[in-house]
Amino acid sequence: RLGRRPVAGGAGVSARLMRDLCKSLCPAGGHVCDLFLDSGSSGEAAVAEGMRFTGIELDETYYRFAEQRIASVLTPDTGDIFG
């Protein structure tokens, strides 16, 4: 993508807004798919709400940032989602 900003804190979408969107648009225990993972706010929200998540990101820097962000909300019940 052209004109991407440096990875710092995400796209400015609040975690609460993303969680509300996931809960509103996806059934409980559902599966969220984000074709442009970017900083991982959608993945963080989906996993925090107990949903399955698939994220696609071509840029390794953004992928690594998103991976850390999503891992921060994992619980022992979640298991290894990066396998």
Side-chain angles (χ1 to χ4, degrees):
R1 290 177 259 173
L2 297 175
R4 292 187 79 172
R5 70 205 172 283
V7 174
V13 178
S14 78
R16 181 179 177 96
L17 173 62
M18 287 307 295
R19 287 179 80 155
D20 288 347
L21 284 171
C22 285
K23 288 189 292 188
S24 297
L25 300 174
C26 189
H31 193 133
V32 174
C33 181
D34 185 347
L35 301 177
F36 304 98
L37 182 60
D38 203 42
S39 66
S41 57
S42 57
E44 177 185 33
V47 171
E49 291 300 324
M51 299 171 183
R52 291 173 290 149
F53 178 74
T54 301
I56 299 169
E57 178 56 59
L58 296 176
D59 185 294
E60 187 170 351
T61 302
Y62 280 84
Y63 173 80
R64 296 290 172 213
F65 184 84
E67 184 178 42
Q68 291 174 356
R69 186 173 184 173
I70 295 165
S72 74
V73 296
L74 294 177
T75 66
D77 295 334
T78 310
D80 179 16
I81 66 168
F82 299 109

